[in-house]
Amino acid sequence: MKQRIGVYICHCGGNISDYVDVEKVREAVAQNDGVLIAKTTMFACADSNQKGMVQDIKENQLDGVVVASCSPKLHEITFKAVVERAGLNKYNYVHANIREQVSWPHSDNKAGATQKAIQIVKAAIAKVRLSEAIEPLEVDTTQAVLVIGAGVAGMKAAISLSKMGTKVYLIEREPFIGGRIAQWDVLCLTNETGKELVSRLYTEIVSNKNIALYTGAQLVDCKGSIGNFTAKVKLSPRYVKETCIDKEILKKAINACPVEVPDEFNFGITKRRAIYHNFPAEYPQTAVIDMNSCTRCGKCTEICDKIDLNMKEEFLELKVGSILVATGFDPYTPNEGEFGYNVIDNVITLSQFKRLLAFSEPGKLQWHDKPVKNVAYIYCVGSRQVDGNNKYCSRYCCTATINTALKSNDKFPELNHFHFTRGIRTYGKQEQLYHNASKSGHVFFQSYEDDPCRVEHKNNKTTVKINDILTNRKELEVEADIVVLVTGMVPRSNNNISDILKLPRGRDNFFNEIHMKLRPVETVIDGITIAGACQGPKNVVESINSALSAAIKTYSFVGKDKLMVKPEVAEVTPDLCKWCDECTKACPFDAIFKNEQGVAQVNETVCKGCGMCLPVCPTNAIQLKTFSDIEIASMIDVLANEL
Amino acid sequence: MAKVDLTFGKKLKKYGAIDFNACYNCGTCTAVCALSTEMDSFPREMIRLSVTGQSEDIKASLKPWLCYYCGECTTYCPQEAKPGELMMSLRRYLISRYDWTGLSSIFYQNLTAYIIAFLLVIIAVVGIFLSGTFSKESFMHLGHYFEMIAIGGVFLIILLPNLIRMWRFTLLSKNINANIKHYWIALKDLFTHMFTQKRTLACNDEKDNKVWWFEHFILVIGYLSLLFTTVFLNWFGTKSLVVISMGYLFSAIIFVVTFDFILRRVKKDSTKTTFSHFTDWFFVIWLFLMGLSAFTVRLFLDFNLLERYFWAYLIHITVLAQWALIIVPFGKWMHFLYRSFAMYFDKIAKLAKTGQH
């Protein structure tokens, strides 16, 4: 029981005192049990008052402090810092909100407002009387980080972390690194190819001893919490030894393979063998065998002795202090028949078109042996859906399309471009590309979502029709040799990372940050950050920005040997626990487990102090620190007694 | 259903259009235009029709003629798409569309063809003179007859059929229910606009728009008066002092004003004089030459020098023939006619629409 409590009642200029008789409040609480000092002040947050409070606490050896002022969201931190400066534990401070909860909403009833303020302050005093000093929890941390996904975001984050001196495990599920940008040709504004960017990042990664890169590596399990995660990673074999880099032999081995399957690197518009690599000088530079399609005929092994079909998968156990997730995106796959997709032969997606442009020889562009001259682009396919789940704008696609169209003319000068848009969003510096495209004769049409353009195929001709709002809604038609559906971004498919790491997803199915603006790379799981397009549509620049910011945040978790975590967590009284398992079911963070004594125990570094476990416990064995039953009951008593 | 036609835009560039493809449909041009109204909204709409190649819609539209090219749209265009110059190019295009002979289309798109036509006229005139069939005096008589025949011929063979075509494209094809009364009432507009170009005054006053209008106005009056003086009052053959002095005055007006117009194009001092199609240069220079050579011929006559310096008349009649046979029927001169008839037809269409009498 605290017996030397200081109470400060704030005028807030007149914000409070115009409606609440603060002097009356002071008088009403001054004689309360345990109150030593009760004062009013014009501005509690003012520097002079803060100094006065420090002095009061020190001179009178106060053991509890209440400030009745504005919302705790505004100044609770301020006053907690004041009491700490005076040598008091910050949990011996309780904040009473008599502005947002009293003076502002009850400006029509001054007497009632004053009465309510008195009760609220008395309740705060009741709580502070029972408050206990507690200290932040200290956790030992493993100074290593797991980065999931070796795309542009993951690679950049890994490099950044390693430069700060942290050990980094960079794992990539695919047999090759680079993620999506390895598939893209010339990127906008910088005019480098995706491959160039990947090779620059790769060179930096392999020359860096702090980074361990694994390809064909998939996270299968993860235990632990901030500071100490144990990640289990499955390593799929390549079946081709890394020493096999003789390009000629490799080429022969690939050509010997009798199996042909759609090539996902080219989004299915070409075929590849069961043993493959996507392009010369890809990283890692040796081929891989896709065991899902391999028939184990052994033809390749006859040519190259460095191919071993009997390699086995391995498992790694990585101990890390933090995890950075950068699993990227998939291009949206249109539904069967959406703008003629999969029904009309020359309707393809932007990703497919980009690959087609990349691997076609300069000169005349062809699609299924027919020359291509007129290209029609249909925008916002799979984004800004009226009826579907993808309400969002995918951000990168307007720019990507216009950039692709502009660059295509370097290789194929005869191409004409017709853009069927829902409004062009080439934001920022990318606007210049839109200007260049218009100027060089690209035609842009626009329609609203309620009246989309239509793709028709008749008499061996494909036409796109639109009621163009830029031309008085006149119905215009373009005969197109190829129709490109500008598909947006969706999260990577078969991505079970969120199940393993318990990462929450938003309504759009991308991973959710804690706060879009203020905590943009942290997740609700302490110690796990997100970067790049797994969080939502981003272009390369934005992905790298978020990767660097996630790297810094991650470093803040593992940079020191020890980590402080908030002590306001749940606490089990072992004698009362009968282990019914209700609390573990209620916990959204998997913070409660059954310990060796057969009772519930809270993992304090995982617990968020949400309180979900409290009401489900039949024996009342769980208490939340700083919000214990007796503290809350004493507040209720005060509030109820006055009525 | 209308097909998008990219070739149209490419063709339009030969008529002088610049960068109109850069348009992103903000509509600033239409907003700043002092002549654009809710009913007759331009230039954005015309740009859009040009970008998508809706040549039939353009052919049937009077809007290019409603623009008097103050240049504000070009000044304020955020994309520098130069809408004013597009409207100008569309007028050139429409001239060639109205022309049944197809020669306007060739001349506007091909400088070489244009020059060849000018050379052919020189060869014809000089050839006739050198053939020796005519004395100097009878050659001048022939010149006078030529003037009269050219005026009548060009009017009957080119201007009238072309005007009928224009009427068909812009009024008849749109099923406008106009009656004879509407045609009669609107006649007032035809003559007002033909002789005053008063819509120019409604334009935003960019630079010295009003000065320009005044110069243009006296040039038109001077030109028509000189035409009348030479053709019907036989300026080169008359003894009447009044007629002689009138001719001096009118021809002087022509070459003085056109000299200023040439200077404006050289200096590019306003938006409308910044971009000159080659036909624009031919137009102002030939009008200048015509005024100056007519003035000189009459001066030589009055000082009895023409006998010795007959080349002066030869130059004059060559310039005149080129003017009457090429520039008038197949070029910029037609603005004079089509613009006023566009205003006339537009008025008729509006009268028919509102049912006013």
Side-chain angles (χ1 to χ4, degrees), chain A residues 268-269 344-346 348 356 365-372 482:
Chain A
I269 56 173
I344 301 170
D345 169 64
N346 52 355
I348 62 174
L356 176 70
L365 184 66
Q366 295 211 323
W367 173 251
H368 290 181
D369 300 326
K370 282 184 205 148
V372 175
I482 202 159

Side-chain angles (χ1 to χ4, degrees), chain A residues 428-449:
Chain A
K429 290 179 182 173
Q430 299 152 180
E431 182 71 6
Q432 191 58 40
L433 294 172
Y434 176 33
H435 179 76
N436 293 349
S438 306
K439 212 170 164 181
S440 53
H442 295 212
V443 184
F444 290 85
F445 307 92
Q446 193 178 338
S447 62
Y448 293 127
E449 58 277 14

Side-chain angles (χ1 to χ4, degrees), chain B residues 292-310:
Chain B
L292 189 65
S293 63
F295 192 90
T296 314
V297 168
R298 186 64 237 188
L299 204 66
F300 283 10
L301 268 176
D302 288 342
F303 288 90
N304 286 323
L305 293 170
L306 195 65
E307 197 64 24
R308 265 172 70 192
Y309 302 113
F310 196 70

Side-chain angles (χ1 to χ4, degrees), chain A residues 416 418 431 434-435 438-439 441-445 465 468-472 474-479, chain B residues 1-4 6 10 13 19 21-25 44-45 48-49 51-52 54 57 78-80:
Chain A
N416 294 323
F418 301 91
E431 182 71 6
Y434 176 33
H435 179 76
S438 306
K439 212 170 164 181
H442 295 212
V443 184
F444 290 85
F445 307 92
K465 294 178 182 174
D468 183 27
I469 60 166
L470 303 177
T471 320
N472 288 338
K474 189 180 167 79
E475 189 181 46
L476 297 175
E477 74 164 40
V478 170
E479 204 180 299
Chain B
M1 181 58 55
K3 289 204 163 153
V4 174
L6 289 186
K10 284 172 190 150
K13 298 228 158 138
D19 283 347
N21 281 311
C23 169
Y24 60 18
N25 291 289
R44 194 202 72 87
E45 188 189 289
R48 193 61 198 162
L49 292 177
V51 168
T52 55
Q54 304 305 303
D57 288 7
Q79 287 288 85
E80 300 186 343

